[in-house]
Amino acid sequence: MVFHSSRPMKVSSTTNTSSTISGFILLGFPCSREGQLLLFGLFSILYLLTLMGNGSIICAVRWDQRLHTPMYILLANFSFLEIWYVTSTVPNMLANFLSDTKVISFSGCFLQFYFFFSLGSTECFFLAIMAFDRYLAICRPLHYPTIMTGRLCASLVVSCWVLGFFWFLIPIIIISQMSFCGSRIIDHFLCDPGPLLALTCTRAPVIELTSSTLSSLLLFIPFLFIMVSYTLVLKAVLKVPSAAGRRKAFSTCGSHLAVVSLFYGSVMVMYVSPTSEHEAGMQKMVTLFYSIVTPLINPVIYSLRNKDMKHAMKKLLRT
């Protein structure tokens, strides 16, 4: 989800040196035909489970009146985001497993590039406002209903989507207008900016610097906001006299902290990982984790650690 323009992944070479490229080849996970079919089956199952898990959270929040609160409205929007986030990569990946050429068109590559990074950016902002919601609920409980109104909640949700889809728009447009030479092969399962910039005819240090700066700001500003929010939450919880009260306060934050740890942990591992000859393989694995595995795990985390959500899920399954 982050740009790696300063540390592009290794791109396989070829004798094709045409100055105009009409499409790219996504290597994905090279293996035998049987292995490709096995991966197709595995990722198809993971994709369906992700759709079902996040879809069930949306349905539970929609149909259970007790969940019509800002916390669960944000969670439903987050689940909706996760569905589209995983959809931006997996269907094309599944098609590539069955393809002999593994070609993606120029426009298809940049559309995937745009939606994958925009949805990933939106996720960073959503995690930040969800932390803000928990801060208000625990540190300002008496003022929470008057501060976190339905109108503010809706405004925050819209702001996340708008900011997410505009954050990388200009760099992506500029990169799409650049000339590409030589190899068409991208050693990844999605259109990542590192390999794309490695295929350009001339280096673009300004674009690389801009992309790297926007990526750093996107990662660290929401992350610092989340850390400050939970530091204040922790201080407030530790002042609660009863152990039961502390457990209840921690339980409302535990699910969100687990999701933040999974997402930011994997993204930052890739962002700060040193260059090595195995970098392409490692970055594919880490990208796979935060873009596919994390959206699958998130519904499990939220449903298992939250009593209201578990009750709503059971009620949904009985209907």
Side-chain angles (χ1 to χ4, degrees):
M1 191 278 302
V2 289
F3 280 96
H4 293 278
S5 54
S6 60
R7 299 183 290 109
M9 284 188 280
K10 184 179 179 182
V11 181
S12 301
S13 60
T14 183
T15 55
N16 177 17
T17 56
S18 63
S19 59
T20 303
I21 292 179
S22 59
F24 301 98
I25 298 171
L26 291 175
L27 284 186
F29 301 93
C31 59
S32 65
R33 183 64 178 173
E34 292 75 15
Q36 295 284 306
L37 293 175
L38 181 63
L39 288 173
F40 174 83
L42 173 62
F43 283 105
S44 295
I45 293 171
L46 293 178
Y47 182 53
L48 289 174
L49 289 175
T50 302
L51 296 183
M52 290 170 59
N54 285 285
S56 63
I57 286 181
I58 296 171
C59 292
V61 173
R62 172 67 179 85
W63 290 332
D64 194 323
Q65 292 291 328
R66 295 180 306 171
L67 302 185
H68 290 183
T69 62
M71 174 182 173
Y72 293 107
I73 290 171
L74 291 175
L75 177 57
N77 276 273
F78 186 74
S79 294
F80 179 74
L81 166 66
E82 293 285 62
I83 288 174
W84 288 107
Y85 188 41
V86 75
T87 300
S88 68
T89 57
V90 174
N92 183 73
M93 185 196 304
L94 294 176
N96 272 2
F97 286 138
L98 303 178
S99 170
D100 293 325
T101 60
K102 303 187 184 302
V103 172
I104 183 170
S105 68
F106 186 88
S107 58
C109 183
F110 278 94
L111 277 174
Q112 184 190 63
F113 183 5
Y114 174 66
F115 281 105
F116 179 70
F117 277 79
S118 296
L119 290 164
S121 302
T122 306
E123 180 157 350
C124 290
F125 295 125
F126 258 106
L127 290 172
I129 66 167
M130 290 168 80
F132 175 65
D133 176 70
R134 292 301 84 209
Y135 158 75
L136 289 178
I138 293 172
C139 299
R140 299 287 186 271
L142 297 179
H143 300 94
Y144 179 78
T146 57
I147 297 175
M148 187 55 78
T149 60
R151 187 172 184 175
L152 176 61
C153 184
S155 298
L156 291 172
V157 167
V158 171
S159 298
C160 285
W161 285 100
V162 172
L163 275 173
F165 274 78
F166 277 95
W167 193 264
F168 284 118
L169 180 59
I170 293 176
I172 289 173
I173 290 175
I174 294 174
I175 294 172
S176 69
Q177 301 301 313
M178 298 172 73
S179 299
F180 296 88
C181 300
S183 170
R184 298 189 303 152
I185 300 174
I186 297 176
D187 193 0
H188 211 312
F189 61 85
L190 54 81
C191 287
D192 190 73
L196 283 172
L197 287 171
L199 295 178
T200 56
C201 300
T202 56
R203 282 182 58 84
V206 175
I207 296 300
E208 293 179 5
L209 178 61
T210 302
S211 301
S212 179
T213 301
L214 287 173
S215 185
S216 299
L217 291 173
L218 174 68
L219 277 177
F220 292 107
I221 290 178
F223 183 72
L224 288 174
F225 185 85
I226 292 168
M227 290 300 100
V228 170
S229 297
Y230 277 111
T231 299
L232 295 173
V233 166
L234 180 61
K235 288 175 64 177
V237 170
L238 292 177
K239 293 178 181 179
V240 176
S242 67
R246 288 194 296 271
R247 281 196 300 271
K248 183 178 179 181
F250 277 126
S251 68
T252 64
C253 304
S255 300
H256 184 248
L257 276 174
V259 171
V260 168
S261 300
L262 285 172
F263 180 77
Y264 272 99
S266 56
V267 168
M268 287 186 174
V269 162
M270 188 158 88
Y271 187 73
V272 300
S273 61
T275 304
S276 72
E277 61 183 36
H278 304 295
E279 187 181 16
M282 184 203 71
Q283 290 191 357
K284 275 192 275 190
M285 291 298 108
V286 178
T287 304
L288 193 68
F289 184 83
Y290 72 72
S291 65
I292 297 174
V293 178
T294 301
L296 171 67
I297 297 173
N298 288 351
V300 179
I301 294 173
Y302 279 114
S303 60
L304 288 180
R305 294 187 58 91
N306 188 290
K307 290 181 180 179
D308 292 335
M309 184 56 68
K310 281 194 288 187
H311 177 80
M313 288 287 192
K314 290 176 182 177
K315 183 178 177 182
L316 181 65
L317 291 173
R318 286 197 297 266
T319 58

